Amino acid sequence: MAASVNNIAATFSAASRSSPQAPTTPPVALSAASARPISALWNPHSVLPRSRRSSLLGVYGLPGPRPRPLRLPRPCAAPPPRTICAGDRLPEAILSYLDRSGAVRTVSISGLTRGRRTVIMAVPGAFAPPRRPRWWSGTGPTFGLSAEGLVKRAAEMKQRGGGGVVVACVAANDVYVMRAWGEQLGAAEAGVTMLSDPDAELARALGLALDLRGGTEGFGIRSEGYLLVAADGVVKVLFRNYQNGGGAAIVGPDDVFKVL
């Protein structure tokens, strides 16, 4: 058995020695003149006559119908904010003011109204007359209380509310204008906080923003005239500065005292 295996191995060894080796091809040096552009190497159509070249029309057939333009749905405009009413919680907003040292301070609506009763009056502009036709938001009962009247009755409001009432006046003016207006009104002595809502953030959140752009007064987006009373951040009553048409009743300080 071992002898037969050795004979087979010897036979294969002899055959491998007797088989001719494959001739080796010497390398061919390509000159710059004989080299073709690389595009001709990978694109066989470049070396064919035009009549024999295939076309996309022959491969894919006639083109289909023109695709319709993609029409994206138009974004829906955000609905205007709902006007706040009695029973709603006041939305969050940041107001600013100047302290006695002249530093700019900020206060949130939640921090201003938490755990206490708050009277907030808003006007379209500081130093402006209290009644202008462009500032009226509609027809209905209006309040007959201006910023000057608020300062004069602030002490009585605090007394009616048990001493824990915060009285504030808000306008879409900068803190320096509000400070100067408060000094003219004597707001600090009466305990009225003059707050700035320069971007009308609070007015927009309440749904009480007033667009006064395009007028000669130089106003932009301001706040409607209103007065609201809140208890622990929840609105108890809201008086808007409506046009007093058709003999509608005028809301006065006594109506505010009833809520307090």
Side-chain angles (χ1 to χ4, degrees), residues 10-253:
T11 302
F12 276 102
S13 178
S16 63
R17 288 194 300 269
S18 62
S19 61
Q21 297 181 355
T24 59
T25 303
V28 179
L30 296 177
S31 62
S34 63
R36 290 184 298 173
I38 190 171
S39 61
L41 298 179
W42 63 266
N43 185 10
H45 286 188
S46 63
V47 297
L48 294 177
R50 183 178 298 274
S51 61
R52 294 181 59 188
R53 297 181 185 178
S54 63
S55 64
L56 294 178
L57 184 63
V59 175
Y60 299 104
L62 294 175
R66 184 186 297 266
R68 296 180 179 180
L70 181 61
R71 295 181 179 180
L72 298 177
R74 295 181 179 180
C76 298
R82 182 182 66 90
T83 302
I84 199 168
C85 59
D88 294 340
R89 179 166 293 277
L90 289 172
E92 191 59 274
I94 302 298
L95 306 176
S96 54
Y97 63 97
L98 286 178
D99 62 10
R100 294 186 177 182
S101 64
V104 179
R105 304 293 183 184
T106 59
V107 61
S108 63
I109 289 296
S110 59
L112 183 70
T113 61
R114 185 183 299 116
R116 60 175 67 94
R117 296 195 176 189
T118 311
V119 178
I120 299 177
M121 169 181 278
V123 296
F127 293 103
R131 299 277 296 172
R132 297 295 296 273
R134 292 188 68 223
W135 302 348
W136 293 336
S137 55
T139 302
T142 186
F143 61 88
L145 189 64
S146 62
E148 293 80 358
L150 179 71
V151 171
K152 293 178 180 179
R153 309 297 294 270
E156 190 175 354
M157 291 181 184
K158 291 176 178 292
Q159 183 180 2
R160 291 290 184 94
V165 177
V166 174
V167 182
C169 182
V170 183
N173 292 101
D174 61 77
V175 292
Y176 303 101
V177 170
M178 295 301 292
R179 172 70 172 272
W181 191 34
E183 292 176 349
Q184 175 180 317
L185 298 176
E189 294 77 9
V192 177
T193 305
M194 307 298 289
L195 297 175
S196 171
D197 184 23
D199 296 326
E201 178 186 359
L202 177 60
R204 297 173 194 267
L206 294 174
L208 295 172
L210 188 62
D211 189 356
L212 295 178
R213 292 174 295 183
T216 57
E217 303 96 341
F219 287 178
I221 303 299
R222 296 297 180 101
S223 174
E224 288 186 19
Y226 66 86
L227 185 144
L228 65 84
V229 180
D232 197 19
V234 177
V235 178
K236 295 301 180 182
V237 67
L238 171 66
F239 302 119
R240 299 177 66 179
N241 192 11
Y242 290 114
Q243 179 182 1
N244 184 17
I250 296 179
V251 177

